[in-house]
């Protein structure tokens, strides 16, 4: 709509101005959880990494030896939030990135699934959550968007929207993306026949479905989207994302520029084809300062591949030996 376009234009102009100032002033700080490679391999560590100085620091977490943190994470109002799970339960941890200290580590008893995406709000301590819930009656997972108020040892959450089920969809957390101001949640999905990819855009304040777009069948399975790349072009609004040719062959992906048309279809232009660094094993990607970071795991340790969100091209990966990386987030 006209209003939507005007709001995006104003937001984009403001972001360009502010982000340019911030980029000149500071470097990107990455945070992640270093997990043990085996249940007996020791506890968790929060790791900070400066992309300019290449310096990293580790901060131990007093957690059970079988706890793992590899899901979504986010930094809001100076606090790093991450989700952990184990054979005995699951929950959240919070870490002050300024004071460099753990604030809380608690069990979430409100859900029996996984945490798939985290987003910020204007209020410190209040987050947006995308969670899966096991439905015993139907023997499948449901997926919901919540608002959540965090305290030291617990959280209270309120349902915002019911999301499409992922039955048969193989890409986990990567299909959920928040736009820069967290007012929208973008969800990649497939239609009921599993033949047509869909992009669903939800209003995070009301839970209403704002827009639905159909992906061209030629791109394959929609993998992730980067809403921060949304921009105006002569032919319409464009954004960047990734797609995988086959749900069976999940080792490479294409980086694609998509154009939104008036008939709610997406045109596709492949910018980078058939590369391994775009595939992050279904884990969510992290975007900061026009650079995206994707986790890959190997025998030697965790590897963070970085690529430019406009071009999709990578200068290579950062290998962190003996680190089982999970739950990346960044600030700059």
């Amino acid at each position: 709509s006209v209003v939507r376009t005007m709001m995006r234009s104003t937001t984009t102009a403001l972001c360009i101005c502010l982000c340019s100032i911030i980029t000149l002033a500071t470097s990107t700080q990455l945070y992640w959880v270093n997990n043990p490679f085996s249940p007996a391999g020791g506890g968790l560590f929060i790791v900070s990494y400066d992309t300019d100085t290449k310096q990293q620091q580790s901060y131990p977490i007093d957690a059970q030896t079988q706890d793992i943190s590899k899901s979504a994470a986010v930094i809001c109002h100076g606090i790093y939030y991450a989700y952990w799970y184990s054979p005995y339960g699951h929950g959240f941890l919070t870490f002050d990135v300024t004071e460099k200290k753990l604030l809380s580590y608690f069990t979430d008893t409100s859900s029996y699934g996984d945490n798939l995406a985290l987003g910020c709000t204007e209020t410190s301590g209040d987050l947006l959550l995308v969670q899966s819930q096991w439905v015993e009656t139907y023997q499948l997972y449901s997926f919901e968007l919540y608002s959540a108020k965090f305290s030291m040892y617990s959280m209270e959450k309120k349902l915002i929207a019911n999301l499409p089920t992922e039955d048969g969809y193989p890409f986990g957390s990567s299909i959920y993306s928040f736009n820069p101001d967290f007012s929208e949640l973008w969800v990649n999905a497939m239609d009921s026949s599993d033949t047509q990819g869909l992009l669903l855009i939800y209003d995070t304040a009301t839970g209403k479905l704002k827009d639905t777009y159909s992906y061209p069948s030629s791109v394959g399975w929609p993998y992730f989207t980067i809403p921060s790349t949304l921009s105006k072009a002569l032919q319409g609004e464009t954004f960047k994302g990734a797609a995988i040719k086959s749900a069976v062959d999940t080792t490479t992906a294409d980086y694609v520029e998509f154009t939104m048309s008036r008939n709610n279809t997406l045109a596709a232009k492949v910018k980078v084809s058939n590369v391994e660094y775009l595939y992050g094993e279904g884990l969510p990607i992290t975007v900061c300062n026009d650079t995206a970071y994707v986790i890959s795991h190997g025998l030697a340790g965790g590897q963070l591949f970085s690529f430019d969100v406009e071009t999709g091209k990578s200068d290579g990966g950062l290998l962190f030996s003996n680190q089982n990386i999970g739950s990346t987030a960044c600030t700059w």
Side-chain angles (χ1 to χ4, degrees):
S1 67
V2 174
V3 174
R4 179 183 175 87
T5 301
M6 291 176 62
M7 290 178 64
R8 281 177 175 166
S9 300
T10 303
T11 302
T12 300
L14 180 61
C15 181
I16 290 173
C17 177
L18 293 178
C19 289
S20 298
I21 296 171
I22 294 171
T23 301
L24 291 173
T26 61
S27 61
T28 298
Q29 303 290 320
L30 284 169
Y31 287 82
W32 64 78
V33 175
N34 183 18
N35 297 278
F37 280 95
S38 67
L44 305 179
F45 290 83
I46 291 177
V47 178
S48 65
Y49 178 80
D50 189 301
T51 59
D52 281 355
T53 65
K54 313 302 181 187
Q55 297 296 311
Q56 63 174 304
Q57 292 181 306
S58 296
Y59 308 92
I61 302 172
D62 184 16
Q64 300 296 320
T65 57
Q66 289 186 285
D67 291 354
I68 296 293
S69 182
K70 285 190 176 182
S71 296
V74 71
I75 296 174
C76 305
H77 304 283
I79 306 299
Y80 169 78
Y81 295 84
Y83 176 82
W84 61 266
Y85 57 91
S86 76
Y88 310 106
H90 55 265
F92 291 89
L93 64 88
T94 62
F95 180 83
D96 189 315
V97 301
T98 302
E99 299 294 331
K100 309 298 184 185
K101 65 179 182 180
L102 187 70
L103 298 178
S104 65
Y105 194 97
F106 63 87
T107 300
D108 174 22
T109 59
S110 67
S111 68
Y112 298 92
D114 196 2
N115 187 76
L116 302 168
L118 288 171
C120 302
T121 69
E122 294 180 352
T123 304
S124 179
D126 290 2
L127 264 66
L128 298 167
L129 308 176
V130 175
Q131 288 190 327
S132 61
Q133 304 279 352
W134 178 250
V135 182
E136 186 68 31
T137 304
Y138 301 105
Q139 292 291 295
L140 52 74
Y141 284 98
S142 63
F143 300 85
E144 291 90 24
L145 172 64
Y146 292 93
S147 61
K149 183 179 292 293
F150 279 73
S151 61
M152 183 65 71
Y153 301 111
S154 65
M155 69 170 182
E156 297 179 2
K157 63 183 186 182
K158 180 180 179 181
L159 180 66
I160 298 176
N162 292 298
L163 304 175
T165 62
E166 292 179 12
D167 189 25
Y169 206 92
F171 302 132
S173 298
S174 63
I175 67 173
Y176 301 101
S177 303
F178 289 102
N179 69 335
D181 66 2
F182 300 97
S183 63
E184 295 178 345
L185 173 67
W186 292 26
V187 181
N188 282 334
M190 298 293 286
D191 65 7
S192 57
S193 64
D194 282 343
T195 59
Q196 180 69 60
L198 302 174
L199 171 62
L200 311 175
I201 300 178
Y202 290 86
D203 185 309
T204 58
T206 64
K208 292 182 178 179
L209 180 62
K210 298 172 66 174
D211 287 302
T212 300
Y213 293 90
S214 298
Y215 283 97
S217 58
S218 59
V219 302
W221 290 64
Y223 183 43
F224 64 72
T225 59
I226 304 181
S228 63
T229 61
L230 185 68
S231 63
K232 287 287 291 181
L234 291 176
Q235 66 273 32
E237 291 180 309
T238 66
F239 68 91
K240 310 298 192 304
I244 292 178
K245 293 296 185 184
S246 169
V248 178
D249 180 19
T250 54
T251 57
T252 64
D254 295 340
Y255 198 65
V256 185
E257 180 180 81
F258 295 100
T259 300
M260 297 171 164
S261 69
R262 293 182 179 180
N263 62 354
N264 288 84
T265 61
L266 297 173
K269 179 182 179 181
V270 176
K271 300 181 72 69
V272 180
S273 181
N274 200 37
V275 291
E276 293 183 354
Y277 61 78
L278 291 175
Y279 180 66
E281 305 167 9
L283 299 173
I285 67 168
T286 300
V287 179
C288 232
N289 204 14
D290 295 328
T291 300
Y293 300 89
V294 182
I295 300 173
S296 179
H297 294 103
L299 295 177
Q303 193 164 12
L304 274 176
F305 285 101
S306 60
F307 65 88
D308 184 278
V309 298
E310 289 301 323
T311 66
K313 296 180 178 179
S314 176
D315 292 330
L318 305 170
L319 178 63
F320 298 95
S321 299
N322 301 317
Q323 293 198 40
N324 193 3
I325 294 173
S327 304
T328 58
C330 59
T331 184
W332 77 98

